[in-house]
């Protein structure tokens, strides 16, 4: 995961320029899990950008067990007559100790990485924005999330961290579960 934390530099797109419009509905979930049943934990303090790592730990039983982190996935609908994306366009948001962030995919040394940007997800977004991920079902319980900016690259588990990789449908490291338990 990248180490820099920036404010969202996206300016709200005008209605005529954006390809995606945020639904009013959002999906709050309590935890993100990988295929090995490791839970994604997010760490942050006021002086640094949040970092995410997968770890074996008991399933949180209450909000107090979540280390002050709330997960949220915002759905977007295709707004203009563009080719239908391969999956549902979504943006991941988190609230860590009262501060809002959203996940993005950026290039570092010509390789896509994920990091958090300060701020909530914008109401409108372009098709190739670095914050949109296309949610695709693997088996009804697990999903894969492909970057709109880096097509062919998926969110994955790599060395216990949230990362990006190229993969095919059989690659178990891209399987992610969103639990509302």
């Amino acid at each position: 995961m990248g180490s820099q934390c920036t404010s969202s530099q996206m300016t709200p797109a005008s209605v005529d320029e954006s390809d995606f419009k945020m639904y009013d509905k959002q999906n709050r979930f309590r935890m993100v899990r990988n295929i090995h049943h490791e839970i994604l934990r997010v760490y942050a303090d006021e002086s640094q950008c949040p970092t995410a790592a997968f770890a074996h730990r008991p399933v949180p039983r209450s909000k107090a067990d979540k280390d002050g982190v709330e997960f949220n996935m915002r759905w977007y609908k295709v707004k203009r007559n563009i080719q239908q994306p391969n999956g549902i366009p979504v943006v991941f948001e988190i609230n860590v100790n009262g501060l809002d962030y959203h996940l993005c995919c950026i290039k570092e040394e010509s390789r896509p990485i994920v990091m958090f940007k300060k701020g909530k997800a914008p109401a409108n977004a372009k098709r190739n924005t670095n914050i949109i991920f296309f949610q695709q079902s693997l088996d009804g319980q697990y999903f894969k999330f492909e970057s709109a900016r880096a097509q062919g690259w998926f969110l994955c588990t790599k060395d216990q961290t949230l990362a990006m990789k190229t993969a095919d449908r059989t690659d178990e490291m891209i399987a992610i579960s969103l639990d509302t338990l």
Side-chain angles (χ1 to χ4, degrees):
M1 172 105 41
S3 59
Q4 64 182 172
C5 185
T6 61
S7 294
S8 179
Q9 297 171 351
M10 292 187 60
T11 56
S14 72
V15 172
D16 297 327
E17 295 176 359
S18 60
D19 297 315
F20 300 111
K21 178 175 176 50
M22 185 186 299
Y23 278 111
D24 291 335
K25 185 178 177 183
Q26 58 189 333
N27 182 19
R28 293 193 188 280
F29 46 95
R30 293 203 31 219
M31 66 186 147
V32 176
R33 277 199 261 194
N34 64 18
I35 196 88
H36 302 293
H37 303 288
E38 297 168 323
I39 296 171
L40 185 67
R41 297 195 54 193
V42 178
Y43 306 92
D45 64 32
E46 296 170 7
S47 65
Q48 65 181 3
C49 183
T51 58
F54 286 95
H56 287 286
R57 75 175 273 204
V59 173
R61 298 188 196 289
S62 71
K63 196 171 185 176
D65 293 341
K66 284 296 294 150
D67 303 321
V69 177
E70 294 179 23
F71 294 98
N72 186 25
M73 185 169 67
R74 301 301 302 237
W75 285 293
Y76 285 69
K77 58 185 173 182
V78 177
K79 194 170 173 194
R80 294 176 30 179
N81 292 331
I82 62 170
Q83 181 180 355
Q84 185 65 26
N86 188 18
I88 300 167
V90 299
V91 173
F92 290 97
E93 292 179 322
I94 61 169
N95 182 288
V96 183
N97 301 322
L99 298 173
D100 294 314
Y101 299 90
H102 57 278
L103 190 66
C104 67
C105 174
I106 64 168
K107 290 227 176 173
E108 187 172 273
E109 298 176 11
S110 73
R111 181 182 169 90
I113 63 166
V114 290
M115 64 175 281
F116 290 101
K117 282 186 175 181
K118 288 182 183 175
K120 290 189 174 273
N124 299 298
K126 297 286 254 168
R127 180 174 173 79
N128 66 348
T129 184
N130 65 358
I131 64 169
I132 294 282
F133 292 87
F134 297 118
Q135 177 184 359
Q136 303 162 33
S137 179
L138 289 172
D139 65 3
Q141 179 182 359
Y142 289 95
F143 302 92
K144 63 181 181 176
F145 294 91
E146 181 179 14
S147 170
R149 169 68 56 88
Q151 293 182 358
W153 287 82
F154 297 85
L155 290 176
C156 72
T157 304
K158 181 180 178 186
D159 301 323
Q160 273 26 65
T161 64
L162 187 62
M164 298 294 298
K165 73 178 290 188
T166 58
D168 61 31
R169 185 171 175 82
T170 62
D171 189 336
E172 68 180 23
M173 300 315 288
I174 65 169
I176 295 174
S177 174
L178 308 174
D179 295 326
T180 58
L181 302 172

